[in-house]
Amino acid sequence: MQRLISILISLLIAFNSNAQFKDFHILGGELSNSAATSVDDIEEVLPRMKRLGLNTVLVPVYWELMEPIEGQMDFALVDRTIDVARELGLKIVPLWFGAWKNSMSCYAPAWFKRDVKRFPRVKTAEGKPLEIASCFSDNVLQADLKAFSALMQHIAEKDPQRNVVIMMQIENEIGMLESARDHSPLAEKAYRQQVPLTLIKALDIKKQGTWAEVFGTDNYADEKFMAWHYACYVEHLAKAARQIHDMPLYVNAAMNSRGRKPGEYPSAGPLAHLADIWKAGAPSIDILAPDIYDTGFKSWTAQYAMPLRPQENGASGIGGKVKNRLFIPESRCCENSGVRAMYAFGEHQALGFSPFAIDQASPKETTSVTKAYALLSQVFHLRPQNSWGLLFDQEDRERVIDDEGVVMTCRHYFTLPWDSRATDGSTWLEGGAMIIRLGKYDYVLAGSGVVIDFKTRTEKQQEQQKKLGEDGFAEAGTNSSSSASQFSGSRLGLLSVDEVTIDEHGQMQFLRRHNGDQSHQGRHARISVGDWKILHIKLYEYR
Ligand code: DGJ
């Protein structure tokens, strides 16, 4: 009976915590790798993160410091992290730096590292050992699993209601480097086995056979073999976590950027092109998460927001069966981080965003994060159902959105002719925002460095390109009406553009009206580069 009651209580807690999580957005930041290795540093860094406006901090848990002697756990760092976070009202996402961190096994304890016989390493085809514990070794798995389970158990006791620890990252950027496939004896044995039926079914493959027979023998086939085995390994940890202390779980991936081939990038990790293998091998993992450092922020996010929006089916992401909510645990911390956050939440209804090593970033780099998070924490009170994200740079300057006949032409602020920063030779800061549709002719725009005009669809179709002078008027001779045909249909005008704040009940509080020069006499709504605002925009139709 007592057991039944305790199961019911834990089910109730799990239900409540997931329900809480549904409306919670991670306005996060990840600490640099060595930031949480001493109690003093934890006590110094967490209040600083709070002051930056984060609601969640991603904090490493280091296996080597947690289990310095085999079987003896030391949770001092974990405890201090949770206690300080609780005092500050911060949420924590622990990062399990267990068997692998950025492919390597550098965070494994000394007793593990030294015992190569018990804990074998990956071998290249040439027989060179790499400092990567082999995922084919049951000893490796059991040691990792034991430590990780002890961590979960400890967190369950320390924070049973999940008031502080809200999600777990398992390992960090798993992947093979130097060699696309493990060639150690245990790995070779597995390679000669039949491809498991679960995977054959998940991938809808028609034939059965060994890995080489089903997938071939190139680097990409090797990568699939490793991805499956890494995923199965992770599933053991994820399942244990679920049983001990259920909460959302994710794995993160280093991107396969710059045309690199498997073995050149950390291959076989939870990459978008391996998502179906990872989801089949590790069904207890909720989220596959991209660490985005390279150029192409929009395209990486689209690949991890699965299934894609219908209008984006032509993009390179994975649609279909695989489901994945976008969460960006790592992103380069820079002056553009803030607008990228606005984009991720607006366009993909992301669960969270988190610049990496935010504790080491300069105020110049963190300012945009603080400003964006201050806006986001307000707009989330509107519980946006229908939103878009904007993100522009010097090359990618315009996006046209047709919202049921309301055509929004959205551009980088520097496309306006009057800001001298656009032409002073410096690289443009990115502009980005979130547009929320509240109702017909009723929108909220929140962000920085964007300008939007609104037209009816028919008006847009009849639009003539005009070159504007720096005063905003058409250049002489570009306004010839002789060639224009008769205008048909109606037009949209700005009824009002108000700068607002939004309170916790979702009520907008008026700050000031934007009209006259601030809306180019009713032609557009805009937020300058460097300014961060929420604009409430109402439209009307006229003939
Ligand atoms: C990605 C890793 O996940 C981080 O821990 C850190 O090593 C960064 N790369 C460094 O850029």
Side-chain angles (χ1 to χ4, degrees), residues 30-33 95 97 101-102 107 169 172-173 252-254 291 293 330 332 356-357:
E30 179 165 326
L31 297 186
S32 55
N33 290 169
L95 318 172
F97 284 9
K101 197 267 167 191
N102 298 31
Y107 280 101
Q169 177 183 299
N172 188 81
E173 290 193 351
N252 64 332
D291 292 346
Y293 290 87
E330 293 182 42
R332 184 178 305 289
F356 176 72

Side-chain angles (χ1 to χ4, degrees), residues 147-157 168 241 244-245 247 249:
F148 180 69
S149 302
L151 172 63
M152 291 310 298
Q153 186 59 46
H154 188 77
I155 293 172
E157 285 155 22
M168 287 294 297
I244 299 166
H245 189 43
M247 67 174 70
L249 305 168

